[in-house]
Amino acid sequence: MKTRLTDITDIIRSKNSGPYELTLDIMFKDFDSFNRACAEKIINEKVVCELYHITPDKIINIIEFRPAKAIKITIKRPICSGDLGETDVYGAQQHAPLLGLEFEW
């Protein structure tokens, strides 16, 4: 059965982590969903690379942060925040690819 990430999370957001990096936060509704997501590694290097059309070397880290029931992903920005051609200076719209993520659950 397919499950959408948005069905098991309360918050999915993105923000700058300095001018050269983006942080994506995925905060789960409950510990059961968080623990299962972590155990099954639904958020992993391959998924992030596919969603963001990047290579693994662009991923800085993927961290499971239990106190917040969250998975945090930090990636290198394709364009420095505020540079010519950059369209999201605060990085606040970069979580959009995660909103459509579906997986077998």
Side-chain angles (χ1 to χ4, degrees), residues 5 24 26 28 37-52 54-56 59 61-64 71-73 75 98 101-103:
L5 186 61
L24 310 161
I26 304 166
F28 292 83
C38 292
E40 296 183 18
K41 299 289 185 200
I42 63 168
I43 304 298
N44 58 57
E45 188 177 90
K46 182 179 182 226
V47 167
V48 173
C49 288
E50 288 175 0
L51 287 175
Y52 286 89
I54 60 175
T55 55
I59 299 172
N61 57 35
I62 301 173
I63 298 171
E64 299 165 355
I71 296 175
K72 299 180 72 63
I73 306 160
I75 61 175
L98 291 167
L101 181 61
E102 293 184 338
F103 47 91

Side-chain angles (χ1 to χ4, degrees), residues 20-96:
Y20 305 106
E21 300 173 1
L22 289 168
T23 293
L24 310 161
D25 296 321
I26 304 166
M27 298 176 194
F28 292 83
K29 290 181 179 181
D30 54 61
F31 279 106
D32 289 337
S33 296
F34 169 75
N35 290 332
R36 186 170 178 189
C38 292
E40 296 183 18
K41 299 289 185 200
I42 63 168
I43 304 298
N44 58 57
E45 188 177 90
K46 182 179 182 226
V47 167
V48 173
C49 288
E50 288 175 0
L51 287 175
Y52 286 89
H53 308 289
I54 60 175
T55 55
D57 62 303
K58 302 294 185 202
I59 299 172
I60 295 169
N61 57 35
I62 301 173
I63 298 171
E64 299 165 355
F65 188 64
R66 184 167 174 70
K69 299 181 302 239
I71 296 175
K72 299 180 72 63
I73 306 160
T74 304
I75 61 175
K76 295 179 183 175
R77 288 184 68 106
I79 299 175
C80 177
S81 178
D83 257 1
L84 186 62
E86 197 276 323
T87 59
D88 185 9
V89 71
Y90 299 111
Q93 299 173 33
Q94 302 307 307
H95 62 284

